[in-house]
């Protein structure tokens, strides 16, 4: 298990000039557009609202508020430590350089896993919404696979055109979710009081079910899906080696992306929840936001909205793919992946300067999941893996500020150490309310990675190499 490899000469050992990502290829606005596209407020709300309202009822509003606080605290952690250790590896590089190569290896493995499930979950959802627009439906798995082909084709080109495509679709999707939010607020039913009396529908054999109050456990269970909805604000960090501008630009983009996501998504969730007329029927619907959209916008307006959602989800899949490929490349380049993976993922194409084989790996893995996995399983499992990464990054923010005080910081998080401590506490509590199966699989993989990288510690690069 040879871990040290640059992977940029094809593993031949020849002294050829290494090919790297193209420096100064995109500007700060392009990076911000990719980051907000990776979060995609439209995608996020339509992706997780159904599972959230089914488990927490109108308590989904509090779940998103709690998740928003954790997400903002986490964005500050990412911004500070990312400014200390700028790298295409993003969160993986943060953990490796703050906590050492063993925990960095765990982060690299978790990113390998996330890259294989995140894009698939998004594109399956996009295909599901697209299918709802076609009489008789469409084969969701095959449609999602077709979308993955398009995502891969755009990812293999130069980063600048891909970033402009992501930005153009972002403008459309923000318009979509803001219009929906306005209509939902204008058609509030008056039947729900999510802030003062959150309730959930319990099936009792009647049409709408029995409404009962939601406890803290029910709301906390929906916090992880909410964190999944906010995830992606760290994406500017993955383009640190390809972006123009000062070192302050990327950490600021992280915080701005998080603020935009929180503001837009929380407003949309609140508006949608107040617009619910029949909680039991809405929670039982396969696409509750589509149902709400039909009620507040009419059939034509809802159709236009769903078209916008499909485009937004495709945009999110593209942005996610771009970031994960760069994390794979950085881990391989740093000598943190076993020989075969290191040699493959560390290769950059000659003309476009993109990590071509990492993108190919993402295509194969996500393509298989697009066809054979269920959306619900992908969302819940991905959420658990994401918050496990949050835990590592928040601990890194604490350690880095204490141990690496002398290193330059382009961004300093305010109210230290409150944000990382708040993030750690919130993530730990949220994890206790998740599915035992998801926890066992995610934490089992992390434990196996920890054992493996500990065993081969002597072959790993140093913390600050």
């Amino acid at each position: 298990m040879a871990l040290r490899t640059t992977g940029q000469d094809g593993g031949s050992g020849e002294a050829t000039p290494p090919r790297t990502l193209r420096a100064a290829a995109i500007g700060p606005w392009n990076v911000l557009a990719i980051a907000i596209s990776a979060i995609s407020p439209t995608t996020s709300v339509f992706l997780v609202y159904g599972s959230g309202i089914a488990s927490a009822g109108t308590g989904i509003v509090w779940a998103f508020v709690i998740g928003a606080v954790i997400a903002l605290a986490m964005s500050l952690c990412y911004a500070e430590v990312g400014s200390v250790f700028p790298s295409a590896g993003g969160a993986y590089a943060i953990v490796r350089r703050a906590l050492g190569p063993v925990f960095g290896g765990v982060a690299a493995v978790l990113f390998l896993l996330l890259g294989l499930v995140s894009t698939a979950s998004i594109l399956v959802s996009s295909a599901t919404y697209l299918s709802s627009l076609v009489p008789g439906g469409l084969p969701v798995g095959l449609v999602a696979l077709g979308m993955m082909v398009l995502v891969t084709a755009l990812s293999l080109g130069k980063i600048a055109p891909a970033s402009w495509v992501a930005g153009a679709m972002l403008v459309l999707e923000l318009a979509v979710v803001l219009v929906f939010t306005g209509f939902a607020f204008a058609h509030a039913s008056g039947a729900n009081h999510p802030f003062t009396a959150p309730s959930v529908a319990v099936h009792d054999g009647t049409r709408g079910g029995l409404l009962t109050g939601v406890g803290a456990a029910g709301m906390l269970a929906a916090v992880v899906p909410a964190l999944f909805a906010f995830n992606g604000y760290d994406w500017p960090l993955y383009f640190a080696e390809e972006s123009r501008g000062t070192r302050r630009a990327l950490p600021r983009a992280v915080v701005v992306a998080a603020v935009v996501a929180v503001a837009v998504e929380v407003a949309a969730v609140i508006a949608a929840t107040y617009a619910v007329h029949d909680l039991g029927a809405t929670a039982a619907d396969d696409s509750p936001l589509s149902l709400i959209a039909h009620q507040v916008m009419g059939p034509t307006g809802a159709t236009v909205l769903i078209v916008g959602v499909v485009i937004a989800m495709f945009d999110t899949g593209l942005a996610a793919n771009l970031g994960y490929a760069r994390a794979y490349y950085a881990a391989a380049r740093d000598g943190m992946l076993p020989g075969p993976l290191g040699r493959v993922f560390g290769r950059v194409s000659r003309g476009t300067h993109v990590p071509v084989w990492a993108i190919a790996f993402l295509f194969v893995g996500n393509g298989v999941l697009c066809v054979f996995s269920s959306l619900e399983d992908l969302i819940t499992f991905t959420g658990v893996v994401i918050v496990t990464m949050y835990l590592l990054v928040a601990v890194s923010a604490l350690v880095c500020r204490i141990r690496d005080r002398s290193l330059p910081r382009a961004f300093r998080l305010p109210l230290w150490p409150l944000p990382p401590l708040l993030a750690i506490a919130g993530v730990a509590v949220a994890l206790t309310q998740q599915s035992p199966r998801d926890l066992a699989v995610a934490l089992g993989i992390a434990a196996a990675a920890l054992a493996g990288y500990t065993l081969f510690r002597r072959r790993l690069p140093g913390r600050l190499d």
Side-chain angles (χ1 to χ4, degrees):
M1 183 177 178
L3 291 174
R4 279 188 178 273
T5 173
T6 63
Q8 295 180 15
D9 61 358
S12 66
E14 299 174 3
T16 56
R19 293 199 296 270
T20 61
L21 300 173
R22 189 183 297 277
I26 52 176
W29 286 106
N30 303 77
V31 173
L32 181 60
I34 292 174
I36 300 178
S37 296
I39 304 170
S40 183
T42 308
T43 297
S44 300
V45 172
F46 277 78
L47 195 61
V48 307
Y49 189 83
S51 60
I53 198 170
S55 63
T58 60
I60 189 175
V61 169
W62 275 113
F64 264 74
V65 170
I66 295 169
V69 174
I70 297 173
L72 291 174
M74 279 303 311
S75 72
L76 295 173
C77 296
Y78 274 111
E80 174 168 307
V81 193
S83 75
V84 178
F85 304 120
S87 166
Y92 138 73
I94 286 173
V95 175
R96 178 200 150 201
R97 295 186 176 182
L99 303 184
V102 171
F103 283 101
V106 174
V109 169
L110 292 179
F111 254 86
L112 285 171
L113 186 61
L114 279 175
L116 290 181
V117 297
S118 295
T119 306
S121 67
I122 294 162
L123 296 183
V124 168
S125 184
S126 180
T128 301
Y129 278 108
L130 180 60
S131 177
S132 71
L133 298 175
V134 179
L138 294 170
V140 170
L142 293 179
V143 172
L145 178 60
M147 291 181 176
M148 190 65 209
V149 171
L150 293 177
V151 163
T152 301
L154 288 168
S155 301
L156 287 171
K158 292 181 179 180
I159 182 61
S163 71
W164 284 113
V165 171
M169 289 191 285
L170 174 63
V171 172
L172 174 61
E173 74 159 281
L174 288 178
V176 165
V177 72
L178 292 175
V179 168
F180 168 76
T181 301
F183 270 93
F185 271 127
H187 293 81
S189 67
N192 305 304
H193 306 282
F195 285 104
T196 57
S199 58
V200 65
V202 179
H203 296 293
D204 62 350
T206 63
R207 179 177 177 275
L210 175 68
L211 297 185
T212 185
V214 181
M219 288 184 283
L220 287 173
V223 169
V224 166
L227 289 173
F228 175 79
F230 294 127
N231 186 59
Y233 43 82
D234 57 319
W235 243 232
L237 304 179
Y238 301 92
F239 303 91
E241 298 171 32
E242 298 168 273
S243 61
R244 298 186 298 271
T246 67
R247 288 188 67 175
R248 288 179 177 271
L250 294 184
R252 284 179 175 174
V254 170
V255 177
V256 170
V259 170
V260 170
V262 163
V264 174
E265 291 184 34
V266 170
V269 167
I270 293 172
T273 305
Y274 272 111
V276 169
H277 291 270
D278 184 330
L279 180 57
T282 302
D285 195 90
D286 291 336
S287 181
L289 283 186
S290 295
L291 175 63
I292 295 170
H294 275 85
Q295 293 170 347
V296 304
M297 302 177 71
T300 301
T303 299
V304 173
L305 175 70
I306 297 304
V307 171
V309 169
V310 171
I311 293 172
M313 290 183 173
F314 177 84
D315 190 23
T316 306
L318 171 60
N321 216 54
L322 293 171
Y324 283 119
R326 281 149 179 81
Y328 290 5
Y329 159 78
R333 177 195 61 193
D334 297 345
M336 291 296 297
L337 297 180
L341 287 180
R343 288 190 292 272
V344 170
F345 290 163
R347 293 178 183 173
V348 176
S349 61
R350 186 180 302 276
T352 58
H353 290 259
V354 299
V356 58
W357 291 108
I359 293 170
F361 176 80
L362 286 167
F363 168 71
V364 173
N366 282 286
V368 170
L369 288 178
C370 280
V371 177
F372 295 109
S373 293
S374 75
L375 178 61
E376 183 65 26
D377 288 343
L378 288 173
I379 291 175
T380 56
F381 176 70
T382 302
V384 172
V385 177
I386 286 171
V387 296
T388 303
M389 279 297 306
Y390 285 175
L391 193 61
L392 290 172
V393 172
V395 172
S396 297
L398 285 173
V399 172
C400 180
R401 175 72 76 92
I402 295 171
R403 184 181 56 198
D404 299 318
R405 292 188 299 271
S406 62
L407 295 179
R409 282 169 167 75
F411 179 93
R412 295 180 70 89
L413 62 86
L415 302 176
W416 191 88
L418 182 60
L421 291 177
L422 181 61
I424 291 169
V427 164
V429 172
L431 279 175
T432 63
Q433 304 301 317
Q434 302 313 301
S435 158
R437 183 196 65 179
D438 288 341
L439 284 173
V441 174
L443 298 182
I445 291 172
L450 182 65
Y453 277 91
T454 300
L455 182 63
F456 291 96
R457 171 64 184 88
R458 291 186 178 180
R459 301 187 184 183
L460 299 176
R463 182 174 73 89
L464 296 177
D465 287 354

